[in-house]
Amino acid sequence: MKTVLVTGAGGFIGKNLCAQLTTDKEIELLRFDRDSTEDNLREYIKNADIVFHLAGVNRPLDEKDFDTGNRELTERILSMIKESDRQIPVVITSSIQAEKDNAYGKSKKAAEELVFNFGKGTNTPVFVYRLPNVFGKWCKPNYNSVVATFCNNIATGLPVVVNDPSTELTLVYIDDVIREFVDVMNGHASVHDDGYSYVKKTFKTTLGQLKQDIEELGESRTTLVMPNLDSEYSRDLYATYISYFAEDNFSYALKTNTDDRGWLAEFIKSRQFGQIFVSKTKPGISRGNHWHNTKIEKFLVVDGKAEIAFRKMDASNAEIIRYQVSGDKLTVLDIPTGYAHSIKNIGDTDLTTIFWADEILNPERPDTIYENVEEKQE
């Protein structure tokens, strides 16, 4: 059993770290936050096997509180560790602002130096992380994260203002930070030659590009077109964005095209993997009766009973191939190119089918040639 103390447990990084640590039954978690007392802190340190010092001040009402909340708190923690007469590894989060000549930067720089000197003076393992812009779920908007602010505002319909779109940003995703911290606990920290620890994976972008990326995510509910998610950055950003939906706005309605046959609705589209749509077809009704030169499709009946018929288009007397499928046994039908195909509800109840096509419909080049499967040309 390992006992882990997390200061700033109620903050953005602290919440995510605590959530991860609680999944490990071999870890006893001690949380220190604003409601905790000095006595709590001293008692926690007596029992801790490692300290993640994530608490700090970055938006005080009085500039003097920078020093109190950053340098002074760090000094008190190190003093308590020294009093315990134990070598307790310390992990501290600093900021790239520590390089700047302002009150916040100076307080973070002072806290860094205290930790480094403590490590050297007591031969205690210490790990100082100068984190860039951290983004992810549970980060407070309109506070100290531009990603959180943009995600929140776009998700809730508020305006986003960018003064200089060319401003360069270095971002790090919260899950990558947490993985690094877990690695530290397991003895696999990433440390530069200058002594600073670091998160291996970061992302580069600009303020203007970030705004554009998040706006595209916001539009996807209306257009149904998903952004390209083939990079870790895009997936991490999307995961972050959806965490800012209002709790009464998790759902959105699809447009359904209804006629005498039933209805059909597009579900999701992507320029990379095509589109998915779903239909309900009444008993005795057929859909399809067309073929494709290049477009690839898959059919999946999830409720009801259907017959899917095929006729190869390279011969006038080609035989009709028939497959019967139902929602009782989920079966995917590949729709080969060059075959006219149809799907007919042969049951007594409505037929529900999921369709996938490898491309978004292009009205100027639909690659859909209408042909009744059953009407063979002699």
Side-chain angles (χ1 to χ4, degrees), residues 324-342:
Q324 290 192 0
V325 293
S326 77
D328 295 333
K329 183 180 180 181
L330 296 181
T331 304
V332 177
L333 264 292
D334 279 313
I335 311 301
T337 55
Y339 282 81
H341 51 275
S342 64

Side-chain angles (χ1 to χ4, degrees), residues 18-78:
C18 289
Q20 178 61 40
L21 296 180
T22 54
T23 66
D24 189 337
K25 295 180 180 179
E26 296 301 313
I27 288 177
E28 180 184 358
L29 180 60
L30 305 175
R31 306 173 194 241
F32 178 83
D33 210 352
R34 294 179 180 179
D35 296 332
S36 305
T37 66
E38 193 89 353
D39 289 338
N40 292 148
L41 182 59
R42 182 170 280 103
E43 188 64 26
Y44 292 159
I45 288 175
K46 287 179 181 179
N47 295 289
D49 296 311
I50 185 171
V51 175
F52 286 92
H53 179 32
L54 313 180
V57 173
N58 56 16
R59 289 262 182 125
L61 296 176
D62 190 325
E63 275 198 1
K64 291 184 295 185
D65 292 335
F66 279 128
D67 188 69
T68 303
N70 295 322
R71 182 199 62 79
E72 189 177 302
L73 176 58
T74 302
E75 189 172 43
R76 294 205 310 274
I77 289 172
L78 297 177

Side-chain angles (χ1 to χ4, degrees), residues 224 253-259 262-267 278-280 287:
L224 302 183
L254 296 177
K255 177 185 177 183
T256 56
N257 299 302
T258 305
D259 57 26
W263 56 257
L264 183 145
E266 295 178 326
F267 169 39
V278 61
S279 78
K280 181 164 284 188
R287 291 184 181 275

Side-chain angles (χ1 to χ4, degrees), residues 309-321:
F310 301 86
R311 178 162 55 84
K312 199 172 185 179
M313 296 304 299
D314 68 342
S316 60
N317 61 348
E319 292 298 318
I320 296 175
I321 304 163

Side-chain angles (χ1 to χ4, degrees), residues 132-146:
N133 299 279
V134 186
F135 71 101
K137 65 185 182 299
W138 305 337
C139 187
K140 186 177 179 180
N142 303 304
Y143 191 61
N144 65 338
S145 167
V146 64

Side-chain angles (χ1 to χ4, degrees), residues 4 6 11 22 27 35 62 70 83 98 110 117 123 137 159 167 194 228 252 260 275 343 350 359 373:
V4 180
V6 178
T22 54
I27 288 177
D35 296 332
D62 190 325
N70 295 322
E83 289 173 8
N117 290 335
N123 201 29
K137 65 185 182 299
T167 300
D194 61 5
N228 188 349
Y252 60 101
D260 293 339
Q275 68 181 98
I343 178 168
D350 287 345
E359 62 181 23
V373 177

